[in-house]
């Protein structure tokens, strides 16, 4: 069967159109090119700068993308005509799809001395303006691509072209306003929220799988206790009071001088307290300065210097438990769980009449506490009083409480689950929150109040004895002299006070003194 010339031309044209359709339908782009994320090692990419009609553009050379693509925002910027008859779905390497906005014909791209003209599909790209994929790469012939030095060499007619790229820069922080502008301009973004990791401390190795399952189920049922408080604590009978001696003048002390770094830390701490609702602005006649104390993790804790206020405060004589007496209760226990309250003192409100007395000043403002701050002379007594009150029926039976450190101890696993359930129920009822990362559950050995508690009994924590144990052995007689010379104590007393001096060879080594009160 024969065809005339016009029919043959029509068939060739139709076949060419089918090839174009098939080629368009086979479009794919890598996720790193589309979203602007780092490329996996299996995909070879390189970024460089180029020019389109005197407009600088960022070009991504991407061996994982099938075609050449141009950012839709660049199309609008250049005023390029967009042929929307070529709209299609482009496959993303991560399995998704994105719709092509059309095709721009014959875009002239200049990279140094190299000029390349190509049709490009329009997409909303992230991190670059142009993607040159396999469609471009297969026009180059042999290529020498060095991904260590980020260079590419190929022949363009009689001239060897060498393209180079600077090494990628690490991510830079931007403001929320800048991020909002980028996202509205068509860029893709991924917003991550960094939160403190609070994984549960691993249970004891000797817990069986069913026991661990029971423990996890119990803790999951009280997940609210391990959360972060979002409101002020409830009003209680144990709200903190600050009784002052009659006729005293409110102490008002100017803020201490701090460097720029410390001021920034103070501002950060104040903002956190304001955001949590624990403090508020005030015009109180009271004013105490603030101190910065470095924590074990090298972060700073802001403390109030309430020394002058404490001198005017009538002292609370509520009994604080002795550590040795607490540890004596642990004989025979086999399972232990330790709970640490989150920002313990902040679980207690300051009585409304005494809020103004907690006022403190920084270099930028005057504030007062709505919750009990650290540093007040009667704060330990108030907190211990609350804990003793809510755990009254559990103390010395299966619970020890020393301020915000709670120890649950039991002689059997079934009892321990029941005891732990009771303690968590009490904490939930009284709206007290626990910091999971500082807790331990169902263990057979635990550190508590500077001691190691186990089924074998109570022992000193080796880390507390490390300095003594590692004291270097003295090998010379001269080194021993300070230990063998006699010590002399001189003391004196009067109706108002007592004092003593520790001496060696007539030189003072240490001093002590104490003022006597009326009760003495």
């Amino acid at each position: 069967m024969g065809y005339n010339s016009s029919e043959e031309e029509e068939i060739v044209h139709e076949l060419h159109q089918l090839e174009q359709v098939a080629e368009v339908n086979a479009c794919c782009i890598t996720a790193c090119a589309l979203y602007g994320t780092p490329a996996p090692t299996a995909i070879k990419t390189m970024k460089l700068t180029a020019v389109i009609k005197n407009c600088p553009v960022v070009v991504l050379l991407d061996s994982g993308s099938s075609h050449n693509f141009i950012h839709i925002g660049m199309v609008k910027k250049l005023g390029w005509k967009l042929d929307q008859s070529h709209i299609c779905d482009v496959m993303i390497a991560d399995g998704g799809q994105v719709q092509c906005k059309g095709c721009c014909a014959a875009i002239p791209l200049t990279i140094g001395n190299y000029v390349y003209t190509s049709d490009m599909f329009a997409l909303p790209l992230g991190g670059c303006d142009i993607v040159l994929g396999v469609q471009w790469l297969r026009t180059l012939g042999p290529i020498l691509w060095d991904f260590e030095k980020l260079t590419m060499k190929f022949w363009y007619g009689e001239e060897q072209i060498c393209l180079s790229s600077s090494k990628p820069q690490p991510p830079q922080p931007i403001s929320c306003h800048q991020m909002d502008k980028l996202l509205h301009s068509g860029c893709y973004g991924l917003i991550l929220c960094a939160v403190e990791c609070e994984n549960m401390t691993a249970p004891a190795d000797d817990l069986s799988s069913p026991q661990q399952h029971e423990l996890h189920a119990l803790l999951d049922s009280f997940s609210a206790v391990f959360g972060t408080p979002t409101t002020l604590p409830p009003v209680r009978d144990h709200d903190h009071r600050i009784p002052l001696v009659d006729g005293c003048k409110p102490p008002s002390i100017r803020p201490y001088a701090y460097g720029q770094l410390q001021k920034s830390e103070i501002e950060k701490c104040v903002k956190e307290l304001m955001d949590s609702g624990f403090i508020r602005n005030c015009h109180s006649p009271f004013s105490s300065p603030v101190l910065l104390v470095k924590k074990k993790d090298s972060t700073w804790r802001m403390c109030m210097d309430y020394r002058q206020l404490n001198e005017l405060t009538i002292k609370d004589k509520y009994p604080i438990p002795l550590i040795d007496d607490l540890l004596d209760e642990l004989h025979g226990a086999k399972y232990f769980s330790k709970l640490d309250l989150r920002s313990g003192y902040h679980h207690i409100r300051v009585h409304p009449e005494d809020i103004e007395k907690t006022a403190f000043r920084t270099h930028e403002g005057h504030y007062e506490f709505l919750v009990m701050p650290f540093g007040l002379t009667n704060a330990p007594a108030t907190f211990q009083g609350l804990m003793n009150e809510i755990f009254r029926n559990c103390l010395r039976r299966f619970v020890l409480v020393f301020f915000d450190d709670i120890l649950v101890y039991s002689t059997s696993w079934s009892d321990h689950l029941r005891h732990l359930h009771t303690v968590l129920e009490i904490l939930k009822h009284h709206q007290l929150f626990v910091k999971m990362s500082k807790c331990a559950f169902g263990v057979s050995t635990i550190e508590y109040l500077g001691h190691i508690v186990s089924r074998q009994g109570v022992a000193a924590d080796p880390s507390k004895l490390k300095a003594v144990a590692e004291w270097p052995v003295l090998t010379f007689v001269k080194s021993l002299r300070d230990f063998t010379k006699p010590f002399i104590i001189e003391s004196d007393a009067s109706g108002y006070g007592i004092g003593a001096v520790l001496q060696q060879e007539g030189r003072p080594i240490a001093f002590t003194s104490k003022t006597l009160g009326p009760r003495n």
Side-chain angles (χ1 to χ4, degrees):
M1 183 177 180
Y3 298 97
N4 57 38
S5 58
S6 60
E7 289 176 330
E8 288 180 354
E9 289 177 359
E10 186 177 344
I11 292 172
V12 169
H13 179 68
E14 289 179 358
L15 289 174
H16 181 66
Q17 285 185 323
L18 289 174
E19 288 177 356
Q20 285 185 324
V21 171
E23 184 178 15
V24 169
N25 290 338
C27 275
C28 65
I29 189 170
T30 59
C32 60
L34 185 65
Y35 304 130
T37 55
T41 55
I43 298 177
K44 307 305 181 183
T45 65
M46 193 172 86
K47 272 188 180 180
L48 44 82
T49 56
V51 175
I52 300 178
K53 287 193 171 182
N54 297 322
C55 179
V57 293
V58 177
V59 179
L60 178 71
L61 310 184
D62 182 13
S63 64
S65 295
S66 62
H67 287 67
N68 301 331
F69 300 93
I70 184 170
H71 182 31
I72 186 67
M74 184 56 62
V75 176
K76 296 176 181 178
K77 183 177 180 179
L78 294 171
W80 214 271
K81 183 179 179 181
L82 190 64
D83 182 1
Q84 296 186 340
S85 65
H86 289 82
I87 293 178
C88 64
D89 290 331
V90 178
M91 297 294 297
I92 309 172
D94 63 4
Q97 283 188 347
V98 61
Q99 190 176 67
C100 165
K101 304 299 181 182
C103 181
C104 293
I107 294 181
L109 186 68
T110 303
I111 309 174
N113 296 329
Y114 172 69
V115 179
Y116 172 66
T117 302
S118 170
D119 297 348
M120 297 187 185
F121 294 104
L123 286 177
L125 302 176
C128 65
D129 303 309
I130 301 289
V131 174
L132 295 182
V134 175
Q135 176 186 348
W136 169 70
L137 291 171
R138 67 187 182 188
T139 67
L140 303 180
I143 303 171
L144 180 61
W145 203 343
D146 189 329
F147 292 100
E148 181 65 29
K149 297 180 180 179
L150 291 177
T151 61
M152 173 189 280
K153 295 180 180 180
F154 57 89
W155 288 94
Y156 180 58
E158 299 297 324
E159 181 184 2
Q160 187 181 46
I161 303 296
C162 181
L163 307 180
S164 61
S165 170
S166 59
K167 289 197 174 183
Q169 297 296 315
Q172 298 295 320
I174 62 172
S175 67
C176 292
H177 178 67
Q178 291 173 306
M179 181 183 69
D180 189 60
K181 286 183 64 177
L182 286 172
L183 293 176
H184 279 87
S185 69
C187 294
Y188 286 85
L190 181 65
I191 300 177
L192 302 178
C193 179
V195 296
E196 182 180 6
C197 181
E198 296 191 349
N199 293 326
M200 187 186 75
T201 304
D205 293 337
D206 54 356
L207 284 186
S208 65
S209 179
Q211 287 175 330
Q212 293 188 26
H213 179 76
E214 291 173 332
L215 177 60
H216 290 171
L218 173 62
L219 298 179
D220 288 343
S221 65
F222 285 96
S223 58
V225 174
F226 301 101
T228 302
T230 56
T231 61
L232 286 171
V235 175
R236 304 186 181 97
D237 293 337
H238 285 80
D239 286 354
H240 187 65
R241 300 301 305 260
I242 309 176
L244 303 180
V245 297
D246 294 335
C248 67
K249 182 181 178 181
S252 181
I253 308 168
R254 62 183 299 178
Y256 297 138
Y258 279 110
Q260 192 59 40
L261 175 62
Q262 285 77 19
K263 285 182 179 179
S264 298
E265 289 295 332
I266 291 173
E267 292 170 5
K268 178 183 175 183
C269 294
V270 168
K271 184 180 184 304
E272 290 175 354
L273 290 170
M274 287 287 285
D275 291 344
S276 62
F278 291 161
I279 64 173
R280 67 188 181 192
N281 292 290
C282 74
H283 301 282
S284 168
F286 292 78
S287 177
S288 297
V290 301
L291 296 168
L292 283 178
V293 179
K294 209 162 195 177
K295 298 192 289 186
K296 291 180 180 179
D297 59 1
S298 296
T299 59
W300 294 92
R301 174 185 285 117
M302 185 177 71
C303 302
M304 313 305 127
D305 187 356
Y306 286 128
R307 283 179 291 182
Q308 290 204 22
L309 177 65
N310 290 339
E311 289 179 3
L312 305 175
T313 303
I314 300 173
K315 305 302 184 288
D316 189 336
K317 302 302 180 182
Y318 190 90
I320 303 300
L322 298 175
I323 293 177
D324 289 343
D325 291 345
L326 291 175
L327 298 177
D328 287 343
E329 305 292 334
L330 300 176
H331 177 72
K334 296 181 179 179
Y335 296 96
F336 306 93
S337 289
K338 182 174 70 171
L339 298 90
D340 193 305
L341 294 186
R342 184 187 296 272
S343 301
Y345 283 11
H346 292 168
H347 284 87
I348 298 178
R349 281 180 180 257
V350 177
H351 193 278
E353 296 178 5
D354 297 300
I355 289 177
E356 67 172 8
K357 300 171 186 175
T358 67
F360 65 95
R361 272 195 297 176
T362 71
H363 61 280
E364 64 170 0
H366 196 189
Y367 311 92
E368 60 190 9
F369 273 93
L370 302 176
V371 296
M372 186 171 70
F374 295 89
L376 294 176
T377 186
N378 290 335
T382 299
F383 194 84
Q384 190 67 42
L386 171 65
M387 301 304 286
N388 286 355
E389 177 65 28
I390 66 175
F391 288 110
R392 182 175 300 278
N393 296 328
C394 309
L395 294 177
R396 300 182 62 191
R397 293 175 51 212
F398 54 85
V399 171
L400 296 182
V401 176
F402 191 79
F403 299 123
D404 58 352
D405 287 324
I406 304 169
L407 184 68
V408 183
Y409 58 98
S410 314
T411 56
S412 69
W413 178 247
S414 59
D415 284 345
H416 194 64
L417 285 177
R418 182 167 49 85
H419 295 160
L420 194 54
H421 183 280
T422 301
V423 170
L424 292 172
E425 190 67 58
I426 291 173
L427 294 173
K428 180 180 178 181
H429 176 73
H430 291 278
Q431 298 182 38
L432 298 174
F433 295 85
V434 173
K435 193 167 187 177
M436 176 72 86
S437 60
K438 292 188 176 182
C439 296
F441 300 97
V443 296
S444 57
T445 301
I446 197 168
E447 186 278 328
Y448 186 66
L449 303 180
H451 294 73
I452 300 299
V453 180
S454 67
R455 297 175 179 180
Q456 287 71 42
V458 179
D461 187 345
S463 65
K464 309 297 182 183
L465 305 175
K466 183 178 180 181
V468 178
E470 295 181 355
W471 189 275
V473 177
L474 302 178
T475 57
F476 300 99
V477 175
K478 185 177 179 180
S479 305
L480 294 170
R481 288 176 183 170
D482 290 341
F483 292 90
T484 58
K485 295 173 184 177
F487 291 91
I488 298 174
I489 297 178
E490 290 189 4
S491 61
D492 196 8
S494 69
Y496 301 98
I498 57 175
V501 180
L502 178 66
Q503 300 181 74
Q504 191 179 59
E505 290 189 329
R507 297 191 313 177
I509 298 175
F511 304 86
T512 185
S513 63
K514 186 174 183 181
T515 303
L516 299 177
R519 63 187 178 86
N520 298 115

